[in-house]
PDB file of all heavy atoms in Angstrom:
ATOM      1  N   GLY Q   1      82.442  79.433 -16.768  1.00  0.00           N
ATOM      2  CA  GLY Q   1      81.076  79.182 -16.293  1.00  0.00           C
ATOM      3  C   GLY Q   1      80.028  79.571 -17.290  1.00  0.00           C
ATOM      4  O   GLY Q   1      79.001  78.837 -17.519  1.00  0.00           O
ATOM      5  N   GLU Q   2      80.166  80.736 -17.931  1.00  0.00           N
ATOM      6  CA  GLU Q   2      79.218  81.141 -18.937  1.00  0.00           C
ATOM      7  C   GLU Q   2      79.122  80.099 -20.112  1.00  0.00           C
ATOM      8  O   GLU Q   2      78.012  79.720 -20.543  1.00  0.00           O
ATOM      9  CB  GLU Q   2      79.575  82.552 -19.461  1.00  0.00           C
ATOM     10  CG  GLU Q   2      78.496  83.101 -20.401  1.00  0.00           C
ATOM     11  CD  GLU Q   2      78.922  84.562 -20.783  1.00  0.00           C
ATOM     12  OE1 GLU Q   2      79.177  85.350 -19.882  1.00  0.00           O
ATOM     13  OE2 GLU Q   2      79.017  84.804 -21.997  1.00  0.00           O
ATOM     14  N   THR Q   3      80.234  79.674 -20.629  1.00  0.00           N
ATOM     15  CA  THR Q   3      80.254  78.711 -21.750  1.00  0.00           C
ATOM     16  C   THR Q   3      79.578  77.376 -21.274  1.00  0.00           C
ATOM     17  O   THR Q   3      78.830  76.801 -21.985  1.00  0.00           O
ATOM     18  CB  THR Q   3      81.664  78.482 -22.179  1.00  0.00           C
ATOM     19  OG1 THR Q   3      82.260  79.630 -22.629  1.00  0.00           O
ATOM     20  CG2 THR Q   3      81.740  77.449 -23.267  1.00  0.00           C
ATOM     21  N   ALA Q   4      79.896  76.986 -20.026  1.00  0.00           N
ATOM     22  CA  ALA Q   4      79.358  75.811 -19.421  1.00  0.00           C
ATOM     23  C   ALA Q   4      77.801  75.725 -19.433  1.00  0.00           C
ATOM     24  O   ALA Q   4      77.117  74.784 -19.853  1.00  0.00           O
ATOM     25  CB  ALA Q   4      79.878  75.448 -18.126  1.00  0.00           C
ATOM     26  N   VAL Q   5      77.233  76.909 -18.982  1.00  0.00           N
ATOM     27  CA  VAL Q   5      75.764  76.973 -18.908  1.00  0.00           C
ATOM     28  C   VAL Q   5      75.130  76.914 -20.320  1.00  0.00           C
ATOM     29  O   VAL Q   5      74.217  76.225 -20.660  1.00  0.00           O
ATOM     30  CB  VAL Q   5      75.256  78.262 -18.205  1.00  0.00           C
ATOM     31  CG1 VAL Q   5      73.840  78.391 -18.256  1.00  0.00           C
ATOM     32  CG2 VAL Q   5      75.764  78.164 -16.757  1.00  0.00           C
ATOM     33  N   ASN Q   6      75.779  77.613 -21.253  1.00  0.00           N
ATOM     34  CA  ASN Q   6      75.246  77.653 -22.637  1.00  0.00           C
ATOM     35  C   ASN Q   6      75.359  76.315 -23.346  1.00  0.00           C
ATOM     36  O   ASN Q   6      74.475  75.836 -23.958  1.00  0.00           O
ATOM     37  CB  ASN Q   6      76.009  78.647 -23.423  1.00  0.00           C
ATOM     38  CG  ASN Q   6      75.723  80.161 -23.073  1.00  0.00           C
ATOM     39  OD1 ASN Q   6      74.672  80.394 -22.482  1.00  0.00           O
ATOM     40  ND2 ASN Q   6      76.669  81.013 -23.316  1.00  0.00           N
ATOM     41  N   MET Q   7      76.495  75.551 -23.053  1.00  0.00           N
ATOM     42  CA  MET Q   7      76.652  74.294 -23.591  1.00  0.00           C
ATOM     43  C   MET Q   7      75.580  73.287 -23.020  1.00  0.00           C
ATOM     44  O   MET Q   7      75.053  72.416 -23.766  1.00  0.00           O
ATOM     45  CB  MET Q   7      78.054  73.701 -23.328  1.00  0.00           C
ATOM     46  CG  MET Q   7      79.112  74.385 -24.120  1.00  0.00           C
ATOM     47  SD  MET Q   7      80.803  73.832 -23.696  1.00  0.00           S
ATOM     48  CE  MET Q   7      80.757  72.151 -24.283  1.00  0.00           C
ATOM     49  N   PHE Q   8      75.324  73.376 -21.756  1.00  0.00           N
ATOM     50  CA  PHE Q   8      74.393  72.528 -21.184  1.00  0.00           C
ATOM     51  C   PHE Q   8      72.907  72.793 -21.661  1.00  0.00           C
ATOM     52  O   PHE Q   8      72.121  71.908 -21.974  1.00  0.00           O
ATOM     53  CB  PHE Q   8      74.416  72.619 -19.681  1.00  0.00           C
ATOM     54  CG  PHE Q   8      73.449  71.598 -18.980  1.00  0.00           C
ATOM     55  CD1 PHE Q   8      73.853  70.237 -18.954  1.00  0.00           C
ATOM     56  CD2 PHE Q   8      72.294  71.969 -18.436  1.00  0.00           C
ATOM     57  CE1 PHE Q   8      72.939  69.289 -18.345  1.00  0.00           C
ATOM     58  CE2 PHE Q   8      71.490  71.058 -17.787  1.00  0.00           C
ATOM     59  CZ  PHE Q   8      71.802  69.727 -17.793  1.00  0.00           C
ATOM     60  N   LYS Q   9      72.625  74.061 -21.784  1.00  0.00           N
ATOM     61  CA  LYS Q   9      71.268  74.435 -22.374  1.00  0.00           C
ATOM     62  C   LYS Q   9      71.070  73.871 -23.707  1.00  0.00           C
ATOM     63  O   LYS Q   9      70.031  73.363 -24.059  1.00  0.00           O
ATOM     64  CB  LYS Q   9      71.156  75.988 -22.444  1.00  0.00           C
ATOM     65  CG  LYS Q   9      70.938  76.643 -21.126  1.00  0.00           C
ATOM     66  CD  LYS Q   9      70.815  78.200 -21.393  1.00  0.00           C
ATOM     67  CE  LYS Q   9      70.615  78.885 -20.057  1.00  0.00           C
ATOM     68  NZ  LYS Q   9      70.487  80.412 -20.289  1.00  0.00           N
ATOM     69  N   GLU Q  10      72.121  73.848 -24.604  1.00  0.00           N
ATOM     70  CA  GLU Q  10      71.998  73.369 -25.934  1.00  0.00           C
ATOM     71  C   GLU Q  10      71.980  71.892 -26.044  1.00  0.00           C
ATOM     72  O   GLU Q  10      71.505  71.305 -27.019  1.00  0.00           O
ATOM     73  CB  GLU Q  10      73.174  73.858 -26.736  1.00  0.00           C
ATOM     74  CG  GLU Q  10      73.134  75.418 -26.929  1.00  0.00           C
ATOM     75  CD  GLU Q  10      74.340  75.977 -27.581  1.00  0.00           C
ATOM     76  OE1 GLU Q  10      75.140  75.167 -28.011  1.00  0.00           O
ATOM     77  OE2 GLU Q  10      74.446  77.203 -27.828  1.00  0.00           O
ATOM     78  N   ASN Q  11      72.497  71.176 -24.945  1.00  0.00           N
ATOM     79  CA  ASN Q  11      72.787  69.726 -25.097  1.00  0.00           C
ATOM     80  C   ASN Q  11      72.297  68.977 -23.833  1.00  0.00           C
ATOM     81  O   ASN Q  11      72.940  68.034 -23.523  1.00  0.00           O
ATOM     82  CB  ASN Q  11      74.189  69.342 -25.397  1.00  0.00           C
ATOM     83  CG  ASN Q  11      74.723  69.973 -26.635  1.00  0.00           C
ATOM     84  OD1 ASN Q  11      74.381  69.517 -27.813  1.00  0.00           O
ATOM     85  ND2 ASN Q  11      75.425  71.079 -26.545  1.00  0.00           N
ATOM     86  N   GLN Q  12      71.333  69.531 -23.052  1.00  0.00           N
ATOM     87  CA  GLN Q  12      71.089  68.970 -21.736  1.00  0.00           C
ATOM     88  C   GLN Q  12      70.576  67.515 -21.817  1.00  0.00           C
ATOM     89  O   GLN Q  12      70.825  66.770 -20.842  1.00  0.00           O
ATOM     90  CB  GLN Q  12      69.983  69.827 -21.108  1.00  0.00           C
ATOM     91  CG  GLN Q  12      68.691  69.965 -21.846  1.00  0.00           C
ATOM     92  CD  GLN Q  12      67.668  70.810 -21.152  1.00  0.00           C
ATOM     93  OE1 GLN Q  12      67.105  70.454 -20.066  1.00  0.00           O
ATOM     94  NE2 GLN Q  12      67.536  72.102 -21.680  1.00  0.00           N
ATOM     95  N   ASP Q  13      70.019  67.099 -22.834  1.00  0.00           N
ATOM     96  CA  ASP Q  13      69.554  65.670 -22.985  1.00  0.00           C
ATOM     97  C   ASP Q  13      70.669  64.730 -23.406  1.00  0.00           C
ATOM     98  O   ASP Q  13      70.559  63.514 -23.367  1.00  0.00           O
ATOM     99  CB  ASP Q  13      68.381  65.551 -23.993  1.00  0.00           C
ATOM    100  CG  ASP Q  13      67.202  66.302 -23.519  1.00  0.00           C
ATOM    101  OD1 ASP Q  13      66.924  66.425 -22.288  1.00  0.00           O
ATOM    102  OD2 ASP Q  13      66.391  66.822 -24.430  1.00  0.00           O
ATOM    103  N   GLN Q  14      71.787  65.365 -23.717  1.00  0.00           N
ATOM    104  CA  GLN Q  14      72.959  64.542 -24.219  1.00  0.00           C
ATOM    105  C   GLN Q  14      73.905  64.127 -23.107  1.00  0.00           C
ATOM    106  O   GLN Q  14      74.633  63.044 -23.177  1.00  0.00           O
ATOM    107  CB  GLN Q  14      73.738  65.334 -25.202  1.00  0.00           C
ATOM    108  CG  GLN Q  14      72.960  65.865 -26.370  1.00  0.00           C
ATOM    109  CD  GLN Q  14      72.590  64.886 -27.386  1.00  0.00           C
ATOM    110  OE1 GLN Q  14      73.374  63.920 -27.584  1.00  0.00           O
ATOM    111  NE2 GLN Q  14      71.468  65.029 -28.015  1.00  0.00           N
ATOM    112  N   TYR Q  15      73.891  64.901 -22.014  1.00  0.00           N
ATOM    113  CA  TYR Q  15      74.912  64.720 -20.960  1.00  0.00           C
ATOM    114  C   TYR Q  15      74.420  63.742 -19.760  1.00  0.00           C
ATOM    115  O   TYR Q  15      73.286  63.770 -19.398  1.00  0.00           O
ATOM    116  CB  TYR Q  15      75.307  65.969 -20.252  1.00  0.00           C
ATOM    117  CG  TYR Q  15      76.109  66.848 -21.204  1.00  0.00           C
ATOM    118  CD1 TYR Q  15      75.539  68.131 -21.620  1.00  0.00           C
ATOM    119  CD2 TYR Q  15      77.254  66.553 -21.715  1.00  0.00           C
ATOM    120  CE1 TYR Q  15      76.313  68.947 -22.491  1.00  0.00           C
ATOM    121  CE2 TYR Q  15      77.991  67.352 -22.637  1.00  0.00           C
ATOM    122  CZ  TYR Q  15      77.458  68.552 -22.966  1.00  0.00           C
ATOM    123  OH  TYR Q  15      78.194  69.356 -23.826  1.00  0.00           O
ATOM    124  N   ASP Q  16      75.425  62.906 -19.362  1.00  0.00           N
ATOM    125  CA  ASP Q  16      75.115  61.913 -18.265  1.00  0.00           C
ATOM    126  C   ASP Q  16      75.616  62.472 -16.894  1.00  0.00           C
ATOM    127  O   ASP Q  16      75.047  62.062 -15.919  1.00  0.00           O
ATOM    128  CB  ASP Q  16      75.783  60.592 -18.580  1.00  0.00           C
ATOM    129  CG  ASP Q  16      75.313  59.937 -19.807  1.00  0.00           C
ATOM    130  OD1 ASP Q  16      74.110  59.625 -19.897  1.00  0.00           O
ATOM    131  OD2 ASP Q  16      76.036  59.835 -20.808  1.00  0.00           O
ATOM    132  N   LEU Q  17      76.597  63.395 -16.923  1.00  0.00           N
ATOM    133  CA  LEU Q  17      77.176  63.843 -15.684  1.00  0.00           C
ATOM    134  C   LEU Q  17      77.993  65.104 -15.932  1.00  0.00           C
ATOM    135  O   LEU Q  17      78.457  65.325 -17.091  1.00  0.00           O
ATOM    136  CB  LEU Q  17      78.047  62.774 -15.113  1.00  0.00           C
ATOM    137  CG  LEU Q  17      78.710  62.996 -13.737  1.00  0.00           C
ATOM    138  CD1 LEU Q  17      78.589  61.725 -12.861  1.00  0.00           C
ATOM    139  CD2 LEU Q  17      80.125  63.392 -13.869  1.00  0.00           C
ATOM    140  N   ILE Q  18      78.145  65.862 -15.015  1.00  0.00           N
ATOM    141  CA  ILE Q  18      78.936  67.111 -15.036  1.00  0.00           C
ATOM    142  C   ILE Q  18      80.033  67.189 -13.898  1.00  0.00           C
ATOM    143  O   ILE Q  18      79.685  66.894 -12.765  1.00  0.00           O
ATOM    144  CB  ILE Q  18      78.064  68.424 -14.931  1.00  0.00           C
ATOM    145  CG1 ILE Q  18      77.053  68.461 -16.081  1.00  0.00           C
ATOM    146  CG2 ILE Q  18      78.989  69.648 -14.930  1.00  0.00           C
ATOM    147  CD1 ILE Q  18      76.109  69.597 -15.915  1.00  0.00           C
ATOM    148  N   THR Q  19      81.318  67.386 -14.279  1.00  0.00           N
ATOM    149  CA  THR Q  19      82.283  67.815 -13.247  1.00  0.00           C
ATOM    150  C   THR Q  19      82.439  69.262 -13.307  1.00  0.00           C
ATOM    151  O   THR Q  19      82.719  69.885 -14.381  1.00  0.00           O
ATOM    152  CB  THR Q  19      83.580  67.030 -13.498  1.00  0.00           C
ATOM    153  OG1 THR Q  19      84.219  67.515 -14.801  1.00  0.00           O
ATOM    154  CG2 THR Q  19      83.378  65.554 -13.495  1.00  0.00           C
ATOM    155  N   LEU Q  20      82.358  69.924 -12.143  1.00  0.00           N
ATOM    156  CA  LEU Q  20      82.212  71.394 -12.160  1.00  0.00           C
ATOM    157  C   LEU Q  20      83.273  72.034 -11.176  1.00  0.00           C
ATOM    158  O   LEU Q  20      83.234  71.738  -9.889  1.00  0.00           O
ATOM    159  CB  LEU Q  20      80.871  71.722 -11.717  1.00  0.00           C
ATOM    160  CG  LEU Q  20      80.542  73.269 -11.540  1.00  0.00           C
ATOM    161  CD1 LEU Q  20      80.760  74.082 -12.844  1.00  0.00           C
ATOM    162  CD2 LEU Q  20      79.081  73.439 -11.079  1.00  0.00           C
ATOM    163  N   ASP Q  21      84.199  72.738 -11.608  1.00  0.00           N
ATOM    164  CA  ASP Q  21      85.137  73.501 -10.821  1.00  0.00           C
ATOM    165  C   ASP Q  21      84.418  74.656 -10.027  1.00  0.00           C
ATOM    166  O   ASP Q  21      83.504  75.241 -10.599  1.00  0.00           O
ATOM    167  CB  ASP Q  21      86.290  73.999 -11.572  1.00  0.00           C
ATOM    168  CG  ASP Q  21      87.441  74.536 -10.742  1.00  0.00           C
ATOM    169  OD1 ASP Q  21      87.625  74.018  -9.665  1.00  0.00           O
ATOM    170  OD2 ASP Q  21      88.002  75.607 -11.159  1.00  0.00           O
ATOM    171  N   LEU Q  22      84.836  74.953  -8.800  1.00  0.00           N
ATOM    172  CA  LEU Q  22      84.156  75.974  -8.128  1.00  0.00           C
ATOM    173  C   LEU Q  22      84.661  77.355  -8.526  1.00  0.00           C
ATOM    174  O   LEU Q  22      83.930  78.310  -8.672  1.00  0.00           O
ATOM    175  CB  LEU Q  22      84.448  75.790  -6.585  1.00  0.00           C
ATOM    176  CG  LEU Q  22      83.783  76.772  -5.673  1.00  0.00           C
ATOM    177  CD1 LEU Q  22      82.232  76.732  -5.763  1.00  0.00           C
ATOM    178  CD2 LEU Q  22      84.119  76.456  -4.223  1.00  0.00           C
ATOM    179  N   ASN Q  23      85.998  77.461  -8.778  1.00  0.00           N
ATOM    180  CA  ASN Q  23      86.632  78.792  -9.117  1.00  0.00           C
ATOM    181  C   ASN Q  23      86.722  78.889 -10.619  1.00  0.00           C
ATOM    182  O   ASN Q  23      87.592  78.238 -11.265  1.00  0.00           O
ATOM    183  CB  ASN Q  23      87.986  78.906  -8.453  1.00  0.00           C
ATOM    184  CG  ASN Q  23      87.891  78.864  -7.035  1.00  0.00           C
ATOM    185  OD1 ASN Q  23      87.072  79.643  -6.373  1.00  0.00           O
ATOM    186  ND2 ASN Q  23      88.710  78.092  -6.307  1.00  0.00           N
ATOM    187  N   LEU Q  24      85.763  79.672 -11.223  1.00  0.00           N
ATOM    188  CA  LEU Q  24      85.766  79.765 -12.733  1.00  0.00           C
ATOM    189  C   LEU Q  24      85.681  81.238 -13.060  1.00  0.00           C
ATOM    190  O   LEU Q  24      85.112  82.037 -12.374  1.00  0.00           O
ATOM    191  CB  LEU Q  24      84.577  79.066 -13.275  1.00  0.00           C
ATOM    192  CG  LEU Q  24      84.480  77.499 -13.118  1.00  0.00           C
ATOM    193  CD1 LEU Q  24      83.092  76.954 -13.460  1.00  0.00           C
ATOM    194  CD2 LEU Q  24      85.508  76.883 -14.056  1.00  0.00           C
ATOM    195  N   PRO Q  25      86.183  81.559 -14.286  1.00  0.00           N
ATOM    196  CA  PRO Q  25      85.972  82.924 -14.835  1.00  0.00           C
ATOM    197  C   PRO Q  25      84.603  83.060 -15.341  1.00  0.00           C
ATOM    198  O   PRO Q  25      83.880  82.127 -15.715  1.00  0.00           O
ATOM    199  CB  PRO Q  25      86.989  82.972 -15.917  1.00  0.00           C
ATOM    200  CG  PRO Q  25      87.348  81.604 -16.354  1.00  0.00           C
ATOM    201  CD  PRO Q  25      87.137  80.794 -15.074  1.00  0.00           C
ATOM    202  N   LYS Q  26      84.141  84.342 -15.453  1.00  0.00           N
ATOM    203  CA  LYS Q  26      82.866  84.754 -15.999  1.00  0.00           C
ATOM    204  C   LYS Q  26      81.705  84.359 -15.076  1.00  0.00           C
ATOM    205  O   LYS Q  26      80.902  85.211 -14.705  1.00  0.00           O
ATOM    206  CB  LYS Q  26      82.583  84.313 -17.404  1.00  0.00           C
ATOM    207  CG  LYS Q  26      83.607  84.862 -18.375  1.00  0.00           C
ATOM    208  CD  LYS Q  26      83.253  84.402 -19.795  1.00  0.00           C
ATOM    209  CE  LYS Q  26      84.268  84.934 -20.789  1.00  0.00           C
ATOM    210  NZ  LYS Q  26      83.978  84.528 -22.174  1.00  0.00           N
ATOM    211  N   LYS Q  27      81.500  83.155 -14.727  1.00  0.00           N
ATOM    212  CA  LYS Q  27      80.526  82.682 -13.723  1.00  0.00           C
ATOM    213  C   LYS Q  27      81.154  81.636 -12.866  1.00  0.00           C
ATOM    214  O   LYS Q  27      81.747  80.658 -13.407  1.00  0.00           O
ATOM    215  CB  LYS Q  27      79.315  82.080 -14.464  1.00  0.00           C
ATOM    216  CG  LYS Q  27      78.358  83.076 -15.112  1.00  0.00           C
ATOM    217  CD  LYS Q  27      77.165  82.351 -15.688  1.00  0.00           C
ATOM    218  CE  LYS Q  27      76.221  83.383 -16.357  1.00  0.00           C
ATOM    219  NZ  LYS Q  27      75.022  82.720 -16.962  1.00  0.00           N
ATOM    220  N   ASP Q  28      81.091  81.827 -11.543  1.00  0.00           N
ATOM    221  CA  ASP Q  28      81.761  80.802 -10.659  1.00  0.00           C
ATOM    222  C   ASP Q  28      80.865  79.571 -10.596  1.00  0.00           C
ATOM    223  O   ASP Q  28      79.742  79.504 -11.102  1.00  0.00           O
ATOM    224  CB  ASP Q  28      82.022  81.339  -9.266  1.00  0.00           C
ATOM    225  CG  ASP Q  28      80.752  81.798  -8.518  1.00  0.00           C
ATOM    226  OD1 ASP Q  28      79.634  81.201  -8.839  1.00  0.00           O
ATOM    227  OD2 ASP Q  28      80.803  82.652  -7.656  1.00  0.00           O
ATOM    228  N   GLY Q  29      81.536  78.527  -9.974  1.00  0.00           N
ATOM    229  CA  GLY Q  29      80.826  77.202  -9.938  1.00  0.00           C
ATOM    230  C   GLY Q  29      79.512  77.209  -9.193  1.00  0.00           C
ATOM    231  O   GLY Q  29      78.594  76.498  -9.592  1.00  0.00           O
ATOM    232  N   ILE Q  30      79.403  78.054  -8.159  1.00  0.00           N
ATOM    233  CA  ILE Q  30      78.143  78.126  -7.439  1.00  0.00           C
ATOM    234  C   ILE Q  30      77.001  78.629  -8.334  1.00  0.00           C
ATOM    235  O   ILE Q  30      75.905  78.052  -8.295  1.00  0.00           O
ATOM    236  CB  ILE Q  30      78.306  79.050  -6.184  1.00  0.00           C
ATOM    237  CG1 ILE Q  30      79.325  78.437  -5.262  1.00  0.00           C
ATOM    238  CG2 ILE Q  30      77.004  79.215  -5.486  1.00  0.00           C
ATOM    239  CD1 ILE Q  30      79.013  77.137  -4.633  1.00  0.00           C
ATOM    240  N   THR Q  31      77.351  79.689  -9.113  1.00  0.00           N
ATOM    241  CA  THR Q  31      76.293  80.215 -10.025  1.00  0.00           C
ATOM    242  C   THR Q  31      75.959  79.177 -11.061  1.00  0.00           C
ATOM    243  O   THR Q  31      74.796  79.005 -11.460  1.00  0.00           O
ATOM    244  CB  THR Q  31      76.844  81.557 -10.675  1.00  0.00           C
ATOM    245  OG1 THR Q  31      77.133  82.465  -9.664  1.00  0.00           O
ATOM    246  CG2 THR Q  31      75.793  82.127 -11.574  1.00  0.00           C
ATOM    247  N   VAL Q  32      76.966  78.620 -11.651  1.00  0.00           N
ATOM    248  CA  VAL Q  32      76.727  77.557 -12.658  1.00  0.00           C
ATOM    249  C   VAL Q  32      75.858  76.382 -12.109  1.00  0.00           C
ATOM    250  O   VAL Q  32      74.886  75.932 -12.756  1.00  0.00           O
ATOM    251  CB  VAL Q  32      78.073  76.999 -13.190  1.00  0.00           C
ATOM    252  CG1 VAL Q  32      77.815  75.867 -14.131  1.00  0.00           C
ATOM    253  CG2 VAL Q  32      78.890  78.065 -13.891  1.00  0.00           C
ATOM    254  N   ALA Q  33      76.201  75.920 -10.925  1.00  0.00           N
ATOM    255  CA  ALA Q  33      75.360  74.875 -10.398  1.00  0.00           C
ATOM    256  C   ALA Q  33      73.926  75.251 -10.099  1.00  0.00           C
ATOM    257  O   ALA Q  33      73.011  74.517 -10.432  1.00  0.00           O
ATOM    258  CB  ALA Q  33      75.996  74.434  -9.001  1.00  0.00           C
ATOM    259  N   LYS Q  34      73.785  76.505  -9.632  1.00  0.00           N
ATOM    260  CA  LYS Q  34      72.432  76.986  -9.490  1.00  0.00           C
ATOM    261  C   LYS Q  34      71.594  77.087 -10.825  1.00  0.00           C
ATOM    262  O   LYS Q  34      70.416  76.714 -10.909  1.00  0.00           O
ATOM    263  CB  LYS Q  34      72.508  78.425  -8.837  1.00  0.00           C
ATOM    264  CG  LYS Q  34      71.174  78.874  -8.238  1.00  0.00           C
ATOM    265  CD  LYS Q  34      71.477  80.150  -7.456  1.00  0.00           C
ATOM    266  CE  LYS Q  34      70.197  80.648  -6.752  1.00  0.00           C
ATOM    267  NZ  LYS Q  34      70.443  81.870  -5.936  1.00  0.00           N
ATOM    268  N   GLU Q  35      72.288  77.562 -11.935  1.00  0.00           N
ATOM    269  CA  GLU Q  35      71.587  77.767 -13.166  1.00  0.00           C
ATOM    270  C   GLU Q  35      71.346  76.379 -13.892  1.00  0.00           C
ATOM    271  O   GLU Q  35      70.235  76.192 -14.461  1.00  0.00           O
ATOM    272  CB  GLU Q  35      72.422  78.624 -14.068  1.00  0.00           C
ATOM    273  CG  GLU Q  35      72.469  80.075 -13.571  1.00  0.00           C
ATOM    274  CD  GLU Q  35      73.118  81.073 -14.571  1.00  0.00           C
ATOM    275  OE1 GLU Q  35      73.384  80.639 -15.714  1.00  0.00           O
ATOM    276  OE2 GLU Q  35      73.483  82.204 -14.179  1.00  0.00           O
ATOM    277  N   ILE Q  36      72.278  75.438 -13.743  1.00  0.00           N
ATOM    278  CA  ILE Q  36      72.074  74.136 -14.244  1.00  0.00           C
ATOM    279  C   ILE Q  36      70.975  73.343 -13.515  1.00  0.00           C
ATOM    280  O   ILE Q  36      70.148  72.677 -14.147  1.00  0.00           O
ATOM    281  CB  ILE Q  36      73.416  73.297 -14.239  1.00  0.00           C
ATOM    282  CG1 ILE Q  36      74.326  73.830 -15.332  1.00  0.00           C
ATOM    283  CG2 ILE Q  36      73.110  71.835 -14.434  1.00  0.00           C
ATOM    284  CD1 ILE Q  36      75.694  73.222 -15.339  1.00  0.00           C
ATOM    285  N   ARG Q  37      70.898  73.554 -12.232  1.00  0.00           N
ATOM    286  CA  ARG Q  37      69.838  72.894 -11.465  1.00  0.00           C
ATOM    287  C   ARG Q  37      68.456  73.397 -11.850  1.00  0.00           C
ATOM    288  O   ARG Q  37      67.473  72.658 -11.757  1.00  0.00           O
ATOM    289  CB  ARG Q  37      70.074  73.057  -9.963  1.00  0.00           C
ATOM    290  CG  ARG Q  37      71.010  72.032  -9.417  1.00  0.00           C
ATOM    291  CD  ARG Q  37      70.201  70.630  -9.243  1.00  0.00           C
ATOM    292  NE  ARG Q  37      71.104  69.541  -8.929  1.00  0.00           N
ATOM    293  CZ  ARG Q  37      71.508  68.612  -9.791  1.00  0.00           C
ATOM    294  NH1 ARG Q  37      71.122  68.698 -10.998  1.00  0.00           N
ATOM    295  NH2 ARG Q  37      72.382  67.707  -9.337  1.00  0.00           N
ATOM    296  N   ALA Q  38      68.385  74.720 -12.245  1.00  0.00           N
ATOM    297  CA  ALA Q  38      67.177  75.330 -12.616  1.00  0.00           C
ATOM    298  C   ALA Q  38      66.693  74.677 -13.958  1.00  0.00           C
ATOM    299  O   ALA Q  38      65.491  74.591 -14.265  1.00  0.00           O
ATOM    300  CB  ALA Q  38      67.291  76.847 -12.772  1.00  0.00           C
ATOM    301  N   ILE Q  39      67.603  74.274 -14.783  1.00  0.00           N
ATOM    302  CA  ILE Q  39      67.327  73.655 -16.119  1.00  0.00           C
ATOM    303  C   ILE Q  39      67.017  72.155 -15.951  1.00  0.00           C
ATOM    304  O   ILE Q  39      66.057  71.609 -16.464  1.00  0.00           O
ATOM    305  CB  ILE Q  39      68.563  73.770 -17.094  1.00  0.00           C
ATOM    306  CG1 ILE Q  39      68.859  75.275 -17.338  1.00  0.00           C
ATOM    307  CG2 ILE Q  39      68.260  73.081 -18.351  1.00  0.00           C
ATOM    308  CD1 ILE Q  39      70.179  75.506 -18.000  1.00  0.00           C
ATOM    309  N   SER Q  40      67.864  71.469 -15.095  1.00  0.00           N
ATOM    310  CA  SER Q  40      67.669  70.014 -14.891  1.00  0.00           C
ATOM    311  C   SER Q  40      67.953  69.732 -13.426  1.00  0.00           C
ATOM    312  O   SER Q  40      69.009  69.774 -12.897  1.00  0.00           O
ATOM    313  CB  SER Q  40      68.666  69.278 -15.767  1.00  0.00           C
ATOM    314  OG  SER Q  40      68.624  67.873 -15.348  1.00  0.00           O
ATOM    315  N   PRO Q  41      66.880  69.290 -12.692  1.00  0.00           N
ATOM    316  CA  PRO Q  41      67.088  68.927 -11.251  1.00  0.00           C
ATOM    317  C   PRO Q  41      67.772  67.607 -11.029  1.00  0.00           C
ATOM    318  O   PRO Q  41      68.255  67.311  -9.900  1.00  0.00           O
ATOM    319  CB  PRO Q  41      65.567  68.818 -10.784  1.00  0.00           C
ATOM    320  CG  PRO Q  41      64.728  69.417 -11.821  1.00  0.00           C
ATOM    321  CD  PRO Q  41      65.524  69.182 -13.057  1.00  0.00           C
TER     322      PRO Q  41
END
């Protein structure tokens, strides 16, 4: 999850869609979804 958030922050205008697992190391999917939504609604 931590890598995912960092990758999205760096390339948010490049991505068309995200597939997100719920059970992840470092940051779970719920946390990742919340942080990504704060960056891009």
Side-chain angles (χ1 to χ4, degrees):
E2 185 176 307
T3 300
V5 173
N6 290 334
M7 289 176 66
F8 185 74
K9 284 180 179 178
E10 294 173 1
N11 301 281
Q12 58 182 287
D13 295 331
Q14 308 281 328
Y15 292 117
D16 299 294
L17 184 139
I18 298 172
T19 65
L20 176 62
D21 187 38
L22 184 60
N23 297 311
L24 293 167
K26 297 187 178 179
K27 287 183 179 180
D28 62 26
I30 297 299
T31 302
V32 173
K34 195 172 184 179
E35 293 186 13
I36 285 177
R37 273 287 169 256
I39 299 169
S40 171

